[in-house]
Amino acid sequence: MSEKIKATINGSEFEFPVIEGTENEKAIDISKLRARTGHITYDDGFKNTGSCQSEITFIDGETGILRYRGYPIEELAEKSTFLEVAYLLTNGELPSTAQLDEFRREVSEYTPIHHDMRHHFAGFPSTAHPMAILSAMFNAVSCYTPHLTESTYDKQSFEEATARLLGAASTIAAYTFKKANGRPFTFSNPRLGYVENFLHMMFTDPYTEYEIDPEIVKALDLIFVLHADHEQNCSTSTVRMVASSRANLFASVASGVSALWGPLHGGANTAVLKQLKQIHTSGMTIEECVRLAKDKDSDFRLMGFGHRVYKNFDPRANILKKACDRVFSVLNKKDPYLDIAKKLEEVALTDEYFIERKLYPNVDFYSGIIMRAIGIPVNMFTVMFAIGRMPGWIANWREVRENPDSVIYRPRQVYQGPTCRSYVPADKRG
Ligand code: ACO
């Protein structure tokens, strides 16, 4: 018999069904709570609220598990590529060779954005934040594809919109970089793979030669794979919320970019690099830095440490740490920031404060150092995160739109403002 939870409210007893997930997670279904009892639940920040049932990504933060569509992140990181993972997330299954070839071809076909869109870039100041441009440009892409902005859903349009968004993301990111540096735009090269082509558009121009290093391609591809989805985080929940109103994929993803921009979410990778720079330039010792992070009178925190969900380790951070070592050794590079990061990690991981609170390096701790080695400027780190997260946003949008029972997301609140009062004319207000 399926489990039920009993609640006694104002002396009356009510039963609520329990929903069980495929990994034995349990949730009390309170969807009829208000209708039956007049009460709502209160959960500020949704820390304890399941907003949906999803088949996309599974996380167990206690044991450091992350799986996309059932596949462990460690296996995907080792054996797969970003476009293959994008196909997996957005379609539910890994592609056959023919399916993957077709997916690559479609993404490549739509990577060049409409030529008129260069005028949009001309309108932004060169000091514009790349995340502001990215969000605005995703909505702008839809202006050139009105047939994809219908509120109805069909699979063919979804596939075209997916390929357009994945392709456009790399072009918009590269053009934003060129715009900020006053360099000419470089057109997409359809003979190159997704990441190679992105590096080509970023770093090549008629005055600059850039040799695409396969190790760098591998490292950036890995960063994208590790960021591709992360269950109901702030930006993905935002995308689902917007999708629930039947808004199109471009508008929904543009809102996801805005949510990701915040320093408590996608902006954390930038904060890690700023902190490493601060330590490096100020000459602060590692011990002083750890002491400050533990001092409750200071608001200094070790950026890149701790995670709301992972409480033993972040599996993505373990993978990236190894990748970081490989990149620096293959490229024969040195970076004082990497030395500081390693010492910080070593000291923090043996310190009682961090052990007690289960604070481990998260995905942002090493991703920024790798991106710095690649030559990506710090203010574009969150844009790289956005390119990586695109398949997750798209997959979640699709899940909402294909759910026949989907309703518009519309939470309730507990009102704490003034009770009813009468209007007073301006000249009579004290
Ligand atoms: N440095 C020092 N102390 C920390 C840190 C840190 N990075 N993170 C948490 N703590 C301490 C808190 O002060 C608190 O101590 P207390 O119990 O003595 O009061 C305890 O650990 C628990 O911290 P919370 O903030 O309650 O933990 P929560 O799970 O809410 O926060 C968060 C997680 C926001 C990630 C936090 O660890 C943090 O601010 N980390 C630094 C920023 C960062 O790296 N963010 C990236 C997250 S990953 C991502 O978005 C992709």
Side-chain angles (χ1 to χ4, degrees), residues 275 279 284-294 300 302 344:
Q275 188 166 83
I279 298 168
M284 192 195 262
T285 64
I286 301 298
E287 287 68 24
E288 171 66 1
C289 189
V290 171
R291 192 195 61 70
L292 257 186
K294 297 191 293 185
F300 186 94
L302 271 196
L344 257 185

Side-chain angles (χ1 to χ4, degrees), residues 177-193:
F177 175 69
K178 290 288 183 61
K179 160 84 193 179
N181 291 289
R183 313 293 292 182
F185 296 155
T186 299
F187 294 145
S188 162
N189 178 347
R191 285 182 298 281
L192 297 175

Side-chain angles (χ1 to χ4, degrees), residues 165-345:
L165 273 168
L166 284 166
S170 64
T171 308
I172 295 167
Y175 283 16
T176 303
F177 175 69
K178 290 288 183 61
K179 160 84 193 179
N181 291 289
R183 313 293 292 182
F185 296 155
T186 299
F187 294 145
S188 162
N189 178 347
R191 285 182 298 281
L192 297 175
Y194 186 82
V195 173
E196 287 168 301
N197 187 43
F198 167 67
L199 292 167
H200 162 74
M201 290 191 288
M202 273 286 278
F203 297 121
T204 312
D205 65 45
Y207 318 107
T208 321
E209 277 189 28
Y210 175 79
E211 204 178 312
I212 302 170
D213 188 310
E215 266 317 309
I216 286 185
V217 173
K218 221 163 127 184
L220 191 54
D221 194 280
L222 177 67
I223 289 178
F224 289 158
V225 167
L226 296 180
H227 284 85
D229 196 37
H230 213 237
E231 235 236 9
Q232 302 312 315
N233 56 83
C234 176
S235 58
T236 302
S237 298
T238 303
V239 170
R240 286 188 84 112
M241 167 81 77
V242 179
S244 78
S245 78
R246 308 288 181 266
N248 66 68
L249 185 54
F250 300 91
S252 305
V253 161
S255 65
V257 172
S258 300
L260 187 71
W261 189 356
L264 295 188
H265 189 14
N269 51 18
T270 310
V272 172
L273 249 279
K274 282 187 180 156
Q275 188 166 83
L276 292 173
K277 184 176 178 194
Q278 186 196 350
I279 298 168
H280 181 59
T281 50
S282 70
M284 192 195 262
T285 64
I286 301 298
E287 287 68 24
E288 171 66 1
C289 189
V290 171
R291 192 195 61 70
L292 257 186
K294 297 191 293 185
D295 182 356
K296 294 293 168 199
D297 292 331
S298 111
D299 54 10
F300 186 94
R301 278 191 167 198
L302 271 196
M303 299 315 288
F305 267 77
H307 197 276
R308 173 61 57 77
V309 179
Y310 296 117
K311 295 300 175 195
N312 272 317
F313 66 93
D314 178 342
R316 303 164 302 170
N318 286 2
I319 296 167
L320 273 187
K321 186 180 178 186
K322 284 188 203 132
C324 195
D325 285 338
R326 195 176 57 239
V327 167
F328 278 86
S329 110
V330 172
L331 300 182
N332 203 14
K333 275 199 172 206
K334 290 221 172 307
D335 185 347
Y337 290 14
L338 178 60
D339 301 334
I340 296 172
K342 285 195 161 174
K343 276 188 218 142
L344 257 185
E345 181 181 356

